[in-house]
Amino acid sequence: MNIKSSLRFKLIIGFITIAVPLVILLLYNNYYASNTIREQVANSNKNSVILYSNQIQAALNKETNFLYNIAFEDPNMASLSLLQNDPFEYYLAKARLLNTFTRYHRFDNSVDLQFVYSVKKQDLFNTPIKTTSYEELQSIQSSILGLLKDIYPESDYFREWKAIQYDDKYALIRLVNTGDGFYLGAWVQLKNLMIPFDLIHLGEEGFASFVSREGALITNTKGIKSFQLVPSLWSQSEEPYQVVTNQDVKYIAVTNPIQGTDITLSAFIPEKMMLQKLDHFREFIFLIPILAAIVLIFYLVYLNDIIVRPMNHLIRGMRKIKHGDWEIRLNNSRSREFSIINESFNSMASEIHALKVNVYEEQIKAHKAELKHLQLQINPHFLLNSINIVYNLAEIKNYHVIQLMCLNLVKYFRFTTKTNQMVVTIAEEMEHMESYIKIQQLRFPDRVTYGYEIAKELETAAIPPLLIQPFIENAIKHGFDFLDEPFHINIRIMPIPQTDLCEIVISDNGSGFPEDVLLDIQRGTYLEINKGDHLGISNVHYRLKHIFGETSDLQFDNQVDSGAIVRIVLPIRTVEHFNG
């Protein structure tokens, strides 16, 4: 026996299945403890980041309000557009504006410079720039002028503070449109905004930085440029930090967007600084799986006693049943489930003989049905009558009718001798029916007529062979009364709307079923009593239930005026469905 299929092997696998998740759980606990410390440190530093972000935001908002006040309330700003054609007065107005800026910012160094720009004259004048080199001064002026020449009134620079790069540095710039051809603006270098925050202790390797809206660092005190944060996590309160790595050093990144700008303030704390006190805790967690393994081994022995041993008894009993020992019985088990199994096993052993007898009986019935089907395929009485008709026609030398008779007999018996097909198409079955009815028309000239109607989509549907013939044959045999009008048979095959079923309706204008016979047929007792006389109908009923199950139905009735009607209901299937 394959060891992988044994219960003992499966119990060992179960043991591993329990042990591995336990170890994973303990490791996860270690991870969770580390993560909790990260979150606590991150939350602590995030408060500092939020506090300083709010300070920056308040200072920038104050500067924005000042620019709007100058733009719409200062008389010098209002007169500036009117004095553009008077150089002297225009110069004096600019000087007065710059004096206003200087007085306001005498005790406030939140921004580095303010400026005014004339769109019409492309004239830029600004307050003194706080810089240590002429090159930097030129770079700042050219960056501002280059931006103002290409700016448009709908730009984001008129709605928020935006980061702008000059040389390898960054600054924030904010613009206000006066509406009469002038732009007011303020400029602040990001490195100056970082000075107070650098005083916060973030560890030996920790640092703070501004981050762009795309997640890239634009300022830092460590010269590190390789970080790339995930901006989508900034606004999610359940993610208080991000983990980033630079040169094998892990950092906990705490961020907070500065409202009214397109930058985010971030603090980077080295992870090793936070986890220094977790070493002993980690060692303890790694010892727990060893203790758990000892407990699980005892549990495995216990499972062997309550599961494996009763299963071995059950297997031995089943092997004896396999070798014909029907007297074997199993004792009760301490387990309720195995007691039920043993009881069921004992019942099975006592009933197995009866089950085998039932199987043999079903096989006999199947062979009888097959024999009846074969008997139905070749009807000796019909064959002898047909040969006798051919003989009589030969005596009167009616060769044309003999040819038609032989041609239809060949088609008829070629179809009935196909014993290897479970189903045929409706078109093939109807072609066989035409051969049979034409033979009857040659036997009874001008006394038998027929008609049929078939839905186009049902011509390729599958039905058992010789499904319709027994009812046509019975109609001619029992319903044919030599009346004034010909005996007419009608066949109608149509789908049943809103279902996957179809119906085959066979009707005639003969004498119909006698009332007592019809009542017995509808009850199902007539075919049981007269199996020998109605072999074909019994065969049809058996094959319908055998092939299609309870979805098929066979109904008998009489028409209102005269004649019998038979209705067959069966599912719509294709030949490929049975051959697949």
Side-chain angles (χ1 to χ4, degrees):
M1 183 178 63
N2 188 357
I3 189 173
K4 292 184 178 180
S5 61
S6 66
L7 186 60
R8 184 175 288 102
F9 176 79
K10 293 180 180 179
L11 283 176
I12 295 174
I13 295 299
F15 169 79
I16 297 174
T17 304
I18 295 174
V20 170
L22 180 60
V23 173
I24 293 175
L25 178 62
L26 294 172
L27 294 176
Y28 173 76
N29 186 49
N30 187 7
Y31 165 78
Y32 179 77
S34 303
N35 196 51
T36 302
I37 293 178
R38 290 192 192 96
E39 290 184 1
Q40 291 177 352
V41 174
N43 288 329
S44 175
N45 285 276
K46 187 163 182 97
N47 293 331
S48 301
V49 172
I50 293 175
L51 177 63
Y52 191 65
S53 297
N54 292 337
Q55 292 177 358
I56 295 176
Q57 178 183 341
L60 295 178
N61 288 341
K62 182 180 179 182
E63 180 67 22
T64 302
N65 293 333
F66 172 73
L67 292 178
Y68 274 105
N69 289 334
I70 294 297
F72 299 106
E73 296 181 4
D74 190 279
N76 294 316
M77 189 70 242
S79 63
L80 195 62
S81 60
L82 303 175
L83 302 174
Q84 293 188 72
N85 296 325
D86 188 344
F88 179 74
E89 293 296 332
Y90 180 73
Y91 176 80
L92 292 178
K94 289 197 302 181
R96 288 193 293 269
L97 273 176
L98 293 179
N99 287 334
T100 302
F101 285 138
T102 303
R103 285 195 305 271
Y104 180 79
H105 291 286
R106 181 173 298 171
F107 304 103
D108 183 5
N109 57 355
S110 57
V111 296
D112 296 317
L113 68 93
Q114 299 81 32
F115 57 86
V116 179
Y117 177 73
S118 171
V119 178
K120 180 179 179 181
K121 302 181 68 173
Q122 293 188 352
D123 178 26
L124 173 67
F125 53 97
N126 55 269
T127 59
I129 300 176
K130 300 175 183 179
T131 180
T132 58
S133 66
Y134 179 76
E135 290 77 11
E136 185 176 6
L137 173 65
Q138 289 293 103
S139 177
I140 293 174
Q141 287 181 334
S142 61
S143 298
I144 295 175
L145 192 58
L147 173 66
L148 293 173
K149 288 182 179 180
D150 298 331
I151 203 70
Y152 51 93
E154 294 80 14
S155 174
D156 290 339
Y157 288 92
F158 294 98
R159 290 192 289 269
E160 64 179 359
W161 292 82
K162 293 186 66 66
I164 182 173
Q165 185 177 9
Y166 66 100
D167 295 335
D168 59 344
K169 303 174 184 178
Y170 283 85
L172 286 179
I173 188 170
R174 180 67 158 87
L175 300 179
V176 173
N177 188 355
T178 63
D180 53 2
F182 286 89
Y183 296 155
L184 273 71
W187 168 285
V188 56
Q189 299 181 65
L190 289 182
K191 67 178 182 178
N192 295 333
L193 292 178
M194 288 299 305
I195 293 174
F197 199 75
D198 288 338
L199 301 177
I200 299 177
H201 181 65
L202 297 176
E204 183 179 348
E205 298 181 359
F207 64 97
S209 174
F210 286 111
V211 182
S212 68
R213 188 164 286 172
E214 292 75 24
L217 272 67
I218 56 178
T219 64
N220 62 81
T221 59
K222 301 292 184 180
I224 299 174
K225 298 290 186 180
S226 60
F227 283 137
Q228 184 71 30
L229 300 183
V230 182
S232 61
L233 299 178
W234 295 345
S235 60
Q236 299 178 8
S237 58
E238 66 272 12
E239 295 289 345
Y241 66 89
Q242 298 181 46
V243 179
V244 292
T245 304
N246 181 72
Q247 298 178 355
D248 298 329
V249 178
K250 278 190 176 181
Y251 292 88
I252 303 302
V254 181
T255 60
N256 186 67
I258 300 176
Q259 300 298 323
T261 73
D262 64 346
I263 61 174
T264 298
L265 181 59
S266 302
F268 298 88
I269 308 98
E271 186 182 56
K272 65 180 181 180
M273 182 187 74
M274 299 183 295
L275 304 179
Q276 290 175 350
K277 298 181 180 181
L278 284 181
D279 293 338
H280 298 295
F281 180 71
R282 288 180 175 179
E283 292 175 0
F284 173 73
I285 288 179
F286 283 118
L287 288 176
I288 293 179
I290 299 175
L291 300 176
I294 297 174
V295 174
L296 289 174
I297 290 173
F298 283 104
Y299 181 67
L300 190 63
V301 174
Y302 172 72
L303 288 179
N304 180 73
D305 183 61
I306 66 171
I307 296 180
V308 176
R309 190 173 300 168
M311 283 297 298
N312 288 336
H313 292 161
L314 179 61
I315 291 172
R316 283 196 295 269
M318 296 185 70
R319 285 176 177 172
K320 289 184 178 181
I321 288 288
K322 180 180 179 180
H323 292 90
D325 184 5
W326 309 111
E327 302 299 326
I328 183 67
R329 296 293 183 271
L330 300 178
N331 299 324
N332 289 332
S333 173
R334 288 184 297 174
S335 172
R336 178 175 176 270
E337 289 77 9
F338 275 104
S339 295
I340 296 174
I341 293 174
N342 293 346
E343 183 180 349
S344 301
F345 178 87
N346 295 336
S347 299
M348 178 194 69
S350 62
E351 295 177 2
I352 194 68
H353 284 98
L355 294 176
K356 291 182 67 175
V357 171
N358 291 338
V359 171
Y360 290 145
E361 289 179 353
E362 290 296 328
Q363 291 178 347
I364 292 173
K365 288 181 181 179
H367 286 303
K368 286 184 178 179
E370 183 67 21
L371 179 60
K372 290 178 181 180
H373 179 57
L374 294 175
Q375 291 172 348
L376 176 67
Q377 287 180 332
I378 300 179
N379 190 332
H381 180 70
F382 173 73
L383 176 61
L384 292 175
N385 286 342
S386 300
I387 294 175
N388 187 49
I389 292 173
V390 172
Y391 175 78
N392 292 332
L393 291 172
E395 280 192 335
I396 63 176
K397 299 181 180 181
N398 192 344
Y399 301 120
H400 177 69
V401 178
I402 291 173
Q403 289 175 338
L404 293 176
M405 189 74 173
C406 291
L407 180 62
N408 286 289
L409 281 173
V410 168
K411 291 181 180 180
Y412 176 82
F413 284 107
R414 181 181 291 119
F415 185 86
T416 57
T417 54
K418 292 180 180 179
T419 59
N420 61 335
Q421 289 183 309
M422 179 183 292
V423 294
V424 296
T425 64
I426 290 179
E428 293 173 335
E429 179 74 8
M430 292 308 302
E431 184 180 356
H432 170 67
M433 285 302 97
E434 285 194 278
S435 299
Y436 177 79
I437 295 176
K438 286 179 181 179
I439 292 173
Q440 300 299 334
Q441 287 178 332
L442 293 174
R443 290 180 62 191
F444 307 105
D446 301 326
R447 300 304 303 165
V448 177
T449 61
Y450 73 97
Y452 61 87
E453 180 183 4
I454 306 175
K456 185 69 176 178
E457 65 271 17
L458 294 180
E459 290 183 354
T460 57
I463 60 173
L466 303 177
L467 181 71
I468 303 176
Q469 179 197 329
F471 304 105
I472 303 296
E473 187 174 344
N474 282 345
I476 295 176
K477 181 177 179 180
H478 300 286
F480 190 10
D481 293 337
F482 288 89
L483 302 175
D484 295 337
E485 59 183 11
F487 181 72
H488 182 75
I489 300 173
N490 187 67
I491 303 171
R492 185 175 181 272
I493 305 175
M494 290 291 167
I496 299 177
Q498 298 181 350
T499 67
D500 62 343
L501 304 174
C502 68
E503 63 175 1
I504 302 174
V505 180
I506 305 166
S507 59
D508 61 60
N509 61 347
S511 57
F513 296 105
E515 291 298 329
D516 56 338
V517 174
L518 179 61
L519 186 60
D520 289 339
I521 290 177
Q522 292 175 342
R523 291 174 178 172
T525 59
Y526 184 78
L527 295 179
E528 294 293 330
I529 299 173
N530 301 275
K531 281 186 177 180
D533 296 334
H534 296 277
L535 180 65
I537 297 177
S538 299
N539 185 280
V540 169
H541 182 266
Y542 172 79
R543 286 188 295 153
L544 282 175
K545 296 301 179 184
H546 178 72
I547 297 175
F548 298 108
E550 296 302 322
T551 56
S552 63
D553 193 18
L554 183 59
Q555 302 172 3
F556 300 86
D557 204 350
N558 283 329
Q559 299 191 82
V560 178
D561 299 331
S562 63
I565 183 170
V566 178
R567 184 172 180 262
I568 305 172
V569 178
L570 68 163
I572 300 174
R573 299 287 187 270
T574 62
V575 176
E576 290 77 12
H577 176 82
F578 295 94
N579 295 335

